[in-house]
Amino acid sequence: MKEKTALSLITPSNIPTLGNYLGALRNWKQMAEDNRCFFGASDLHAITVRQDPKDLRRNTAEIFAVLLALELDKGGNTVFVQSHVPQHAQLAWALNCFTQFGEASRMTQFKDKSASHADNINVGLFSYPVLMAADIVLYDADYVPIGEDQKQHLELARNIVDRINGIYGDVLKVPEPWFGKTGKRIMSLLEPTKKMSKSDPNPKAYISLMDEPNVILKKMKSAVTDMNGRVFYGEDNHGVKNLMDIYSCCTGLAYDDIEKEFEGKGYGDFKAKVAEAVIEELRPLKERYDKLINEKAYLEECMKKGAGEASAAAEKTYRRVMEKVGFYQL
Ligand code: TYM
């Protein structure tokens, strides 16, 4: 029996990027071996930004197929779609009432997204981290494997848990964030001071996990590098540093080794090698995904199985909280 539990979700706003893979999905695979894991597609989070219903359904199926292609449902673990488990939205309501307006206002992602979607600053966007807290605590998660951009949301989740436990006794488990040694923050290929994001309007800024090899090579070739022409890990050469991070994640090489490998060589050689390493890293995943995405009946069967397993686990925590808070139980 696995002792510890891990949970993490990914929002189906597009096909995941290399950033999602190196910062999160790859670590989920590692966690899945030793922990009881729940992984899923956070479609409830997706609608904080306006979505075309057809696209949302398609993206949800695609992300779910990626999770299956990574074999995250194997070894007694569960892969599910968030909206198939109603306890997430239900518990989020209760947690909203234990979250201070001030602390939610400090979330940098809320500030960034409010700026980029100024015409739709909805209340859901504001309380999104509270829903994240509900996702995590429902499964009594010990670990939450995430990229660096989600760190602040996890701190808020911990504060909410501490507050509730302070009032009612130890009702909820305090979750720990879990980061990989490398790849915590992969940057945009075109603006390397910004994180690589699947919702970037320019697809050249990111590598999608399902990009064909020739597309990956082309995007890498147009990645922003530096004026000085050298491959080295310096403070200010963000573009080169980002490509070195990606190369290091895919090959396991340390920065020193990478600097030696490309000493006296130009960025053309370097970018071609980074592209090759990424293509090889993603190849097995893409092959499995291409088969799965056309098996609609199988995907739906797995979604149902996942929803059943996740609901059974979530219901226990949900009841525990409702009872402690004082809701009349029948
Ligand atoms: P999302 O879909 O934006 O990202 C999914 C995961 O990928 C990580 N990530 C990155 N890591 C490194 N470099 C990048 N450029 C990069 N971009 C994204 C994210 O940190 C994340 O781990 N709200 C979350 C999903 C969520 C969740 C949760 C996560 C919903 N509920 C509960 C953990 C626990 C999100 O939209 O992630």
Side-chain angles (χ1 to χ4, degrees), residues 7-11 17 19-20 22-24 28 42 45 82 109 128 131-132 135-136 144-150 153-154 183-187 195-198:
L7 167 127
S8 207
L9 306 183
I10 176 165
T11 302
T17 67
N20 296 127
L22 297 177
W28 296 7
S42 41
H45 281 89
Q82 187 188 29
Q109 203 175 84
Y128 162 121
L131 178 58
M132 260 184 81
D135 301 338
I136 297 166
V144 185
I146 42 173
E148 204 170 54
D149 61 319
Q150 295 298 331
H153 292 162
L154 207 89
K184 273 191 284 236
R185 192 173 180 82
I186 300 296
M187 310 309 270
K195 75 165 183 181
M196 181 182 283
S197 165
K198 54 179 140 48

Side-chain angles (χ1 to χ4, degrees), residues 75 82 84 98 100 108 115 130 136 151 153 161 187 196 216 233 275 279 282 286 297 307 313:
Q82 187 188 29
H84 296 169
F98 293 89
Q100 298 304 303
T108 54
V130 183
I136 297 166
K151 195 172 159 198
H153 292 162
V161 168
M187 310 309 270
M196 181 182 283
I216 296 181
Y233 208 83
I279 292 164
L282 299 182
K286 186 165 172 4

Side-chain angles (χ1 to χ4, degrees), residues 122-183:
N122 59 76
V123 176
L125 192 64
F126 183 70
S127 68
Y128 162 121
V130 183
L131 178 58
M132 260 184 81
D135 301 338
I136 297 166
V137 300
L138 272 178
Y139 299 92
D140 287 327
D142 296 281
Y143 305 121
V144 185
I146 42 173
E148 204 170 54
D149 61 319
Q150 295 298 331
K151 195 172 159 198
Q152 198 188 25
H153 292 162
L154 207 89
E155 277 160 15
L156 178 65
R158 286 166 60 93
N159 290 343
I160 298 172
V161 168
D162 283 344
R163 188 166 301 132
I164 290 181
N165 287 347
I167 303 171
Y168 301 105
D170 284 342
V171 191
L172 299 173
K173 177 139 331 150
V174 186
E176 296 280 339
W178 196 95
F179 302 105
K181 286 199 184 69
T182 51

Side-chain angles (χ1 to χ4, degrees), residues 138-297:
L138 272 178
Y139 299 92
D140 287 327
D142 296 281
Y143 305 121
V144 185
I146 42 173
E148 204 170 54
D149 61 319
Q150 295 298 331
K151 195 172 159 198
Q152 198 188 25
H153 292 162
L154 207 89
E155 277 160 15
L156 178 65
R158 286 166 60 93
N159 290 343
I160 298 172
V161 168
D162 283 344
R163 188 166 301 132
I164 290 181
N165 287 347
I167 303 171
Y168 301 105
D170 284 342
V171 191
L172 299 173
K173 177 139 331 150
V174 186
E176 296 280 339
W178 196 95
F179 302 105
K181 286 199 184 69
T182 51
K184 273 191 284 236
R185 192 173 180 82
I186 300 296
M187 310 309 270
S188 153
L189 297 180
L190 298 182
E191 284 174 82
T193 49
K194 256 179 45 184
K195 75 165 183 181
M196 181 182 283
S197 165
K198 54 179 140 48
S199 36
D200 197 308
N202 187 348
K204 285 188 184 156
Y206 58 80
I207 306 258
S208 153
L209 293 190
M210 298 311 144
D211 278 344
E212 295 298 334
N214 62 329
V215 176
I216 296 181
L217 182 63
K218 225 165 147 189
K219 288 184 179 177
M220 278 297 174
K221 290 260 167 176
S222 60
V224 167
T225 38
D226 203 36
M227 301 296 281
N228 64 42
R230 277 178 53 217
V231 175
F232 79 104
Y233 208 83
E235 262 311 295
D236 295 327
N237 55 347
H238 302 284
V240 174
K241 229 165 51 175
N242 189 37
L243 296 187
M244 285 178 76
D245 270 336
I246 294 173
Y247 194 58
S248 168
C249 285
C250 296
T251 58
L253 290 172
Y255 300 134
D256 284 357
D257 299 325
I258 300 174
E259 286 174 2
K260 273 189 213 120
E261 181 179 346
F262 294 100
E263 211 173 308
K265 295 188 183 144
Y267 288 145
D269 286 345
F270 176 50
K271 288 174 167 181
K273 280 292 222 155
V274 180
E276 195 184 304
V278 170
I279 292 164
E280 284 319 308
E281 175 75 28
L282 299 182
R283 192 187 301 280
L285 171 65
K286 186 165 172 4
E287 281 171 6
R288 282 197 293 271
Y289 172 88
D290 286 343
K291 276 195 208 129
L292 280 163
I293 196 60
N294 295 314
E295 296 180 24
K296 188 168 178 228

